[in-house]
Amino acid sequence: MFLLTESPINTLELVNSLAEASVGGLVSFEGRVRDHNAGRAVEALEYEVYPELALSEGNVIINEAKAKFPIVSATAIHRHGLLNLQDIAISIVVVASHRDAAFEACRYIIDEVKQRVPIWKREHYRAGSKEWVDCPGCRVHRRERQESVVTT
Amino acid sequence: MSSPQISIKIRYFASLRDARGLATEQRAIPAVNAMDLYRELQEAYGFRLDPSEVRVAINGHFTPMETRLCHGDELAFIPPVSGG
């Protein structure tokens, strides 16, 4: 299930809602607001969402994860509105009989959400300005960074 | 002969909403495809994203930019996303 909220996210509640007797591995991921990006000091993030399309695309991703990996269940919840440092922007919990599938499915879900779900963030800088993180280079830059991590 | 006019609803998000100064509008346009409409809006409102960098969703579904628009469609251009 993919959900949206404007309220603070409680990952423990999500974990408890998914735990069941057949589960041997539970993987939880939180994406949090950090205080810097690309060398600039960040003091808050604002997330905007296209709700109907974000929910449908997010649920497509969850269903893809269920089809690709032998997991029992997966839930992701993304917050929108104004978030402060260390607030949870997204929480993903995957439960499976075994750990490998849970890790892989969780990684798949966060990577696909970041590439496909219509949610945008605007960084509020400590220096006072704000900018949408939707520059055409962002996806390219991210990919280059990932590749440089793999090759070094 | 000019193309027939159709009426569509456009939703704007993130940097496109800021550039347009509106979240939604009802707009009468010639019956063109989404790519042509984006180019027209880009010229009118100074959208900095190239058409190759945006996607389009029509009536709540991602759709190719070459899709011809129909009267009554609801459409949104999707800038590169940055959730998570």
Side-chain angles (χ1 to χ4, degrees):
Chain A
M1 196 188 334
F2 185 90
L3 303 164
L4 297 168
T5 183
E6 288 184 90
S7 306
I9 293 171
N10 184 330
T11 298
L12 194 56
E13 272 180 16
L14 199 55
V15 164
N16 289 336
S17 73
L18 289 179
E20 58 172 87
S22 67
V23 167
L26 182 152
V27 170
S28 163
F29 171 81
E30 288 178 348
R32 291 180 168 226
V33 178
R34 66 170 182 267
D35 68 357
H36 64 280
N37 191 34
R40 301 175 77 175
V42 173
E43 63 177 16
L45 287 183
E46 180 186 346
Y47 284 91
E48 180 169 323
V49 60
Y50 180 173
E52 302 92 330
L53 191 56
L55 288 171
S56 62
E57 190 70 5
N59 278 301
V60 167
I61 291 168
I62 297 285
N63 287 331
E64 287 171 0
K66 286 180 181 168
K68 282 175 184 287
F69 308 102
I71 60 175
V72 173
S73 186
T75 296
I77 180 164
H78 202 300
R79 188 172 166 193
H80 56 108
L82 187 67
L83 278 69
N84 294 310
L85 296 181
Q86 285 306 299
D87 280 352
I88 300 165
I90 184 169
S91 181
I92 300 170
V93 177
V94 180
V95 291
S97 294
H98 303 285
R99 65 185 181 280
D100 283 349
F103 275 115
E104 287 171 10
C106 190
R107 180 65 196 245
Y108 178 82
I109 291 166
I110 184 60
D111 287 351
E112 294 299 311
V113 166
K114 287 176 82 80
Q115 298 272 347
R116 292 162 53 185
V117 175
I119 298 174
W120 300 271
K121 71 177 144 207
R122 175 149 57 180
E123 292 177 338
H124 292 218
Y125 302 107
R126 204 179 299 157
S129 60
K130 320 181 222 189
E131 276 176 31
W132 288 106
V133 183
D134 67 352
C135 85
C138 287
R139 280 183 295 195
V140 176
H141 295 158
R142 201 155 52 222
R143 204 173 311 124
E144 283 170 355
R145 279 202 297 275
Q146 284 170 353
E147 283 167 4
S148 70
V149 168
V150 169
T151 54
T152 52
Chain B
M1 199 176 80
S2 62
S3 315
Q5 295 272 307
I6 58 171
S7 177
I8 58 164
K9 180 181 174 187
I10 307 176
R11 294 172 72 171
Y12 298 98
F13 295 97
S15 64
L16 298 181
R17 180 171 52 75
D18 285 356
R20 179 65 186 93
L22 287 173
T24 63
E25 70 173 324
Q26 199 74 35
R27 198 173 173 103
I29 60 163
V32 294
N33 68 29
M35 176 75 85
D36 295 332
L37 175 62
Y38 185 81
R39 288 206 174 100
E40 182 192 317
L41 296 170
Q42 186 181 27
E43 195 174 315
Y45 306 113
F47 295 165
R48 61 183 169 75
L49 295 168
D50 189 82
S52 65
E53 292 154 358
V54 299
R55 301 174 72 192
V56 67
I58 301 176
N59 301 326
H61 299 282
F62 286 116
T63 309
M65 286 286 271
E66 294 72 27
T67 304
R68 198 165 185 80
L69 302 173
C70 299
H71 184 75
D73 278 347
E74 179 180 300
L75 163 157
F77 292 106
I78 310 291
V81 302
S82 52

